[in-house]
Amino acid sequence: MSDRAIRSIAILGGGIVGLSAAAAFARALPQLAITMVETPLDPAALADRLPGSTSAIHRFHASIGMDEQALLGAGAAVPRLGLRFEHWPAGAETWVHVHGEHGAPAGKIAFHQLWARARREGRAGAWHLHAPAGVIAEAGKFVHPQPGTPLAAFDYALRLDPARYRDLLAALADRLRVTRLAGTFGSVEGRADGGVAAVLLDDGRRVEADLYLDASGPAAPLAALSSGGFEDWSSALPCDRVAIVEAPPSAADPNDTIIGGGVQDWQFVSSLPGKTLLGRVHASSDGGDNSVAIRPGRRAEPWVRNVLALGDAAVALDPLHWPNLHLAHSGIARAIELLPGRDCHPVETAEYNRRSRAEAEGMRDFQALHYLRAGTRIEVPDSLARVLDQFERRGRFVHKDEDSLLEEVWIAALLGLGVVPQAIDPCAAAVPADTAATRMTEMRAGLAQLPGRLPSYADYLARCGVPGT
């Protein structure tokens, strides 16, 4: 290692985010000495407590050597195809948000342009019924993607049992020779340049490292000492309370269910082996017991000198579309990619902060879209207003470089929420309407045949060795 290289990392927080960071850094840079301070779990640290993920979790697992079959066999995770939205917007038909291809383009003409024209004419079914994942999800079936077949072009996420998932991450960290210490944060020993020389635990122990990661939750006692401010997003994201309870097992379902209530009050249902997790997400003005507070927003600079905030310590969002762990994993991967020298020069950390800001704002806009379409009065961010202006006008979507949500994810949400382009794209207009509508009918008929050849979701989990199925 060079004289500038970071040789040691200390992580504050022993939950899923902290363990994910420990495993990722240890796998990518095995020469590092990594120490975890396993502080008590913060109930408001949603990335450590929620069952949801996005399809990007597979890429993160590959980077740390986490095998999906091991997760399934331990009951720590099961596949999830989609999110079923009921009464969102109020009075709307139930729709399913799934990952993967929808329809097929006509040459260079995007399929959603043809669908939007047919939809306005009453000649197209729901958007998700033009996707393999959508018809499988609606039928309660599942199978892993199969290359070379009509079942190749879809993706899926994982539904996690937080406690079991954490246990497997802890076992992986142990195999990677991460030092784990139980303790509670006390204070820091500072450096002349404003950085941290050591973390002092409340029992007097001293933990010294070149780089400190605060993965302890939204209170972020370490990052708060060095970070310069917090951007409050409550004007765009109205929900600031979350309550999560365990209920008895329910029927195995490849989808999580999102149920819209009032415009600032909704619920989720997530089925896991042996139990069901139920959640209520609402604004504090709507009341509710046994809930924890969240403050929607982001730390203005998650990386300051030699302290990096990750997970809820860096950005706090409600559970809609399960962004919490996704952003934590993305932040970890970005930190490894952009890892600076031991001096953590501001030029290097500024690039991390720039990318993190853009990604977090994209996720904020994605959630705000759902509240806006539900009829909630919010302050629409300028960046979301531009997305809506372009898409409502002619169905054009301009994807931003740092947005970790794929274009297909945005389009599925826009169309599912009823944002249909007002005008026909000139290229799409060149395709005869009857021809396009006939192709869509044939496409839906072909996709409708897929579920009949597939096992039920419960049967498939049993085949994969998921306990309790």
Side-chain angles (χ1 to χ4, degrees):
M1 299 176 68
S2 71
D3 290 340
R4 291 189 63 247
I6 289 174
R7 293 183 172 86
S8 57
I9 292 179
I11 303 171
L12 187 68
I16 288 172
V17 175
L19 287 163
S20 294
F25 273 93
R27 183 70 74 180
L29 300 163
Q31 70 274 23
L32 289 178
I34 301 176
T35 302
M36 284 192 65
V37 179
E38 298 187 317
T39 57
L41 178 64
D42 183 345
L46 298 186
D48 291 328
R49 297 188 61 214
L50 291 172
S53 71
T54 70
S55 60
I57 197 170
H58 305 298
R59 185 166 60 250
F60 184 80
H61 283 167
S63 73
I64 65 173
M66 179 69 78
D67 179 63
E68 181 179 316
Q69 185 54 51
L71 290 169
L72 298 181
V78 290
R80 177 181 61 76
L81 269 176
L83 294 175
R84 181 193 299 110
F85 282 84
E86 298 180 358
H87 308 296
W88 196 318
E93 296 179 358
T94 296
W95 58 284
V96 183
H97 188 284
V98 293
H99 297 283
E101 292 183 5
H102 290 65
K108 294 184 178 180
I109 303 169
F111 176 73
H112 76 269
Q113 296 282 7
L114 300 174
W115 179 90
R117 180 179 63 179
R119 183 70 167 182
R120 287 201 308 273
E121 297 169 352
R123 304 171 74 181
W127 176 248
H128 69 271
L129 295 180
H130 297 80
V135 296
I136 297 170
E138 192 160 273
K141 304 293 187 74
F142 186 77
V143 69
H144 280 87
Q146 300 175 356
T149 75
L151 294 168
F154 76 92
D155 207 348
Y156 65 97
L158 292 176
R159 184 185 292 135
L160 306 170
D161 181 305
R164 293 177 177 176
Y165 183 60
R166 185 205 172 278
D167 288 345
L168 289 184
L169 283 173
L172 175 60
D174 290 342
R175 293 196 298 273
L176 294 171
R177 299 186 299 280
V178 173
T179 300
R180 296 195 289 138
L181 307 173
T184 302
F185 177 80
S187 62
V188 300
E189 181 182 307
R191 299 188 318 203
D193 65 354
V196 173
V199 167
L200 306 177
L201 306 186
D202 64 354
D203 60 5
R205 284 177 293 171
R206 183 176 184 274
V207 180
E208 184 176 351
D210 294 331
L211 176 64
Y212 298 87
L213 311 182
D214 192 334
S216 62
L222 179 56
L225 293 175
S226 57
S227 181
F230 183 87
E231 297 175 5
D232 189 305
W233 289 345
S234 57
S235 62
L237 303 176
C239 293
D240 59 4
R241 307 287 301 187
V242 180
I244 306 169
V245 297
E246 287 190 13
S250 55
D253 191 334
N255 310 294
D256 288 338
T257 300
I258 307 295
I259 305 170
V263 293
Q264 299 179 51
D265 188 335
W266 58 274
Q267 301 172 53
F268 67 80
V269 181
S270 190
S271 174
L272 287 161
K275 62 185 172 184
T276 303
L277 290 186
L278 306 176
R280 180 187 175 213
V281 184
H282 61 99
S284 53
S285 57
D286 289 341
D289 298 326
N290 302 318
S291 60
V292 297
I294 56 173
R295 184 186 179 192
R298 66 176 295 274
R299 201 165 294 281
E301 293 184 317
W303 198 327
V304 178
R305 299 182 183 87
N306 65 335
V307 176
L308 169 62
L310 293 169
D312 294 271
V315 56
L317 295 170
D318 72 46
L320 186 60
H321 277 277
W322 306 126
N324 314 82
L325 186 58
H326 168 81
L327 290 177
H329 284 169
S330 181
I332 293 165
R334 184 180 302 113
I336 293 172
E337 176 194 350
L338 300 177
L339 192 67
R342 197 159 61 250
D343 61 348
C344 294
H345 195 283
V347 170
E348 296 182 282
T349 57
E351 177 62 10
Y352 178 94
N353 290 335
R354 182 192 70 80
R355 293 194 198 179
S356 298
R357 179 182 305 111
E359 181 185 39
E361 289 174 350
M363 195 67 76
R364 174 204 63 193
D365 291 355
F366 188 66
Q367 288 195 330
L369 165 69
H370 290 68
Y371 290 111
L372 178 66
R373 295 298 298 177
T376 312
R377 290 187 178 180
I378 65 168
E379 183 177 315
V380 181
D382 291 343
S383 47
L384 174 58
R386 287 192 292 272
V387 168
L388 287 170
D389 287 345
Q390 289 290 324
F391 199 82
E392 288 182 315
R393 177 61 184 161
R394 287 192 183 274
R396 292 168 178 152
F397 183 81
V398 180
H399 195 261
K400 301 169 189 169
D401 289 344
E402 306 303 336
D403 191 345
S404 59
L405 295 173
L406 299 174
E407 180 176 342
E408 67 194 32
V409 173
W410 270 96
I411 291 176
L414 286 161
L415 297 178
L417 290 164
V419 184
V420 179
Q422 300 168 357
I424 299 171
D425 180 84
C427 294
V431 178
D434 289 343
T435 300
T438 299
R439 288 178 182 170
M440 286 180 207
T441 300
E442 294 172 347
M443 183 182 303
R444 289 198 305 273
L447 290 172
Q449 303 302 311
L450 292 178
R453 305 196 297 267
L454 301 179
S456 71
Y457 181 68
D459 287 345
Y460 194 79
L461 295 186
R463 294 182 191 180
C464 292
V466 177
T469 58

